[in-house]
Amino acid sequence: MSQRPLRTAITLVTAAAASLALSAGPAPAADRPADPKALRDLATAYLASVKYLDEKVALADGYVPRQCSSDPAGHGSMGYHYFNESRYGSLDPAKPSALLFEDGKNGKRRLAGVEWIVLDSDQNLKTSKDRPSMFGGQKFEGPMPGHYPGMPIHYDLHVWLWKQNPNGLFDRWNPRVKCPAAPAHTGKSGTAHTGSSGMVHTGSAGTAHTAH
């Protein structure tokens, strides 16, 4: 494990322990520490995803690569989603439903974040009574259409554990993540093609990416 992940994991675990100790006594609302369980869950997610720094392990564990997703409004990208449908519905910090990769300078894909996906119970975009949350009440985004053919309406939560996001740990788009430049696909109307969730998909489609 590199020094940066090790330091981050230690920081999360130490913060969780400190929060447990501090929460035993009263504290002003503005000074209350972060939810200790949320910190423990983040540490669990971080340590559980260490093995996916090696893209080949992600592929072996059933994560299937899809296109690189960018915000058409220019707020950033999510990178390449690697979906594991067997983990849809997971609220276990150690079992993310998707992994977020970006292109590295050495030609290999590099892990940037993790994501949890929960299918919408009534498959109705207009209702959200079953919206889940994790990490101390962090609400999932959605419901939203699927990001590839056959993917149901769902909620999702992105967590940028491996690539610092200046917009926040749980923000949907990361301006520091880039997708490869590619010409927009145009239809009969000549308009750029975007995914059903408003994302522009670039790069390789659903074929497996082989690590170098």
Side-chain angles (χ1 to χ4, degrees), residues 2 15 21 48 55 58-59 89 116 121 132 149 154-155 171 182 189-190 192 210:
S2 68
E55 183 205 12
L59 296 172
W116 283 262
S121 60
H154 64 283
Y155 301 90
D171 196 84
S189 64
T210 304

Side-chain angles (χ1 to χ4, degrees), residues 37 41-42 44-45 48 63 87-97 114-118 133-135 140:
K37 182 180 184 304
D41 286 348
L42 282 171
T44 296
Y63 288 93
R87 290 188 172 181
Y88 286 3
S90 169
L91 295 177
D92 184 342
K95 296 179 179 180
S97 308
V114 290
E115 180 180 355
W116 283 262
I117 296 167
V118 174
S133 63
M134 291 179 69
F135 305 113
F140 281 51

